[in-house]
Amino acid sequence: MSEIYFCGGYYLVEGSSIRNWMNPSLIPATFHSLSNCICSHHPDISVLTWMNEADTGERYRQKLRLSTQEFQALQNQADRWFEKNKYTWGEVFLDLSLAREFATNYLNHIKNIKLLAIAITPRYRELFLQEAPSNNCQEGVYRALLSHQTIDIKHNFLGYEILGYEYGWFHSFVCNQLETDFVNELDIELNQYGLIDQYDLAIRASDYVNLPDTGAEPSLWLPWAVVELEIF
């Protein structure tokens, strides 16, 4: 872990109970993933006024236990955060203090929330910026990596999650039920968080997921370091 790591943004991740398609011997009972296919991330993208998804916005308002007026005020705030590149496409924060502020103000009643940072080595940062599909580099992860902000992953390192990037959002290797393949085909053990401890093994796993015959989504799959930060 002596190598430089570039920060790809901050996420407020609500842990998900293990799903029936996950291997319960490898994935923890409550799993925190950077893929919103598995976990809810906060705030939900419907908090932006221009998303125009009334049903989703109403469900999220109820989840936050806000009145209609309070939720509208939050949406107006979120629009300003987006304009200032503090909260961006992909439900990712570029402002760590804002992520903590949001958790303090809105998420105290929700269980299993973690503040997670993702990070990547220079080799994969360059590959990501060159090859990952994007919409004019407007997504939060792109913006974070373009800023050259580094992060120390030595403290509260949870492991590497193999993530496939697609226009601002991530798929996880767990979305594709590859945790069993990692063990059986690659002899890679997962840790207590359902992640990979060692960088060289994470590279081997990401190379495997990128193979066309693996069957994963056609994304750029890379080994992202996941670090838990103090939330309050």
Side-chain angles (χ1 to χ4, degrees):
M1 293 186 190
S2 59
E3 190 165 6
I4 293 172
Y5 280 78
F6 291 99
C7 182
Y10 308 100
Y11 292 80
L12 288 167
V13 179
E14 181 179 349
S16 170
S17 298
I18 193 167
R19 311 289 183 86
N20 57 10
W21 40 268
M22 298 177 184
N23 188 327
S25 67
L26 302 175
I27 303 301
T30 301
F31 184 50
H32 288 79
S33 172
L34 274 299
S35 171
N36 74 332
C37 305
I38 298 173
C39 293
S40 295
H41 298 164
H42 294 271
D44 185 275
I45 200 67
S46 64
V47 79
L48 297 171
T49 59
W50 45 268
M51 283 304 295
N52 298 320
E53 295 183 7
D55 292 344
T56 303
E58 176 60 17
R59 288 195 298 272
Y60 194 57
R61 179 191 71 80
Q62 294 178 13
K63 184 168 187 173
L64 294 184
R65 300 179 181 175
L66 298 178
S67 68
T68 300
Q69 186 176 12
E70 289 170 333
F71 188 67
Q72 289 174 346
L74 172 59
Q75 287 184 301
N76 291 332
Q77 267 192 322
D79 285 349
R80 291 192 291 272
W81 297 337
F82 192 89
E83 291 168 1
K84 295 179 180 179
N85 295 321
K86 294 184 174 184
Y87 167 77
T88 61
W89 186 251
E91 299 173 340
V92 54
F93 286 95
L94 301 187
D95 185 321
L96 178 56
S97 61
L98 178 60
R100 288 175 168 143
E101 179 184 330
F102 186 88
T104 299
N105 292 340
Y106 299 102
L107 304 180
N108 280 305
H109 64 288
I110 298 178
K111 297 180 179 179
N112 297 318
I113 295 289
K114 286 186 177 184
L115 175 56
L116 302 178
I118 59 170
I120 203 165
T121 57
R123 165 190 174 184
Y124 288 111
R125 174 187 175 274
E126 293 304 316
L127 182 61
F128 179 94
L129 294 176
Q130 292 172 7
E131 297 190 18
S134 70
N135 292 317
N136 300 316
C137 300
Q138 297 301 306
E139 298 93 353
V141 178
Y142 261 94
R143 291 183 181 276
L145 293 179
L146 286 172
S147 74
H148 288 87
Q149 179 185 351
T150 60
I151 185 171
D152 181 359
I153 72 164
K154 295 177 183 177
H155 303 290
N156 299 315
F157 172 71
L158 301 186
Y160 295 93
E161 185 171 12
I162 311 306
L163 299 169
Y165 186 82
E166 187 174 19
Y167 300 106
W169 310 88
F170 284 117
H171 302 292
S172 172
F173 71 98
V174 180
C175 301
N176 294 270
Q177 300 176 283
L178 293 175
E179 64 270 22
T180 303
D181 281 7
F182 284 1
V183 174
N184 294 340
E185 303 295 331
L186 304 178
D187 196 27
I188 296 174
E189 296 293 334
L190 303 183
N191 64 20
Q192 61 182 327
Y193 305 107
L195 304 177
I196 299 171
D197 279 327
Q198 298 179 36
Y199 181 50
D200 59 336
L201 297 181
I203 292 173
R204 187 194 303 174
S206 64
D207 289 345
Y208 174 80
V209 181
N210 277 305
L211 294 173
D213 57 353
T214 301
E217 287 90 352
S219 303
L220 179 60
W221 293 86
L222 299 176
W224 290 87
V226 182
V227 179
E228 183 175 3
L229 305 174
E230 291 186 6
I231 193 168
F232 300 116

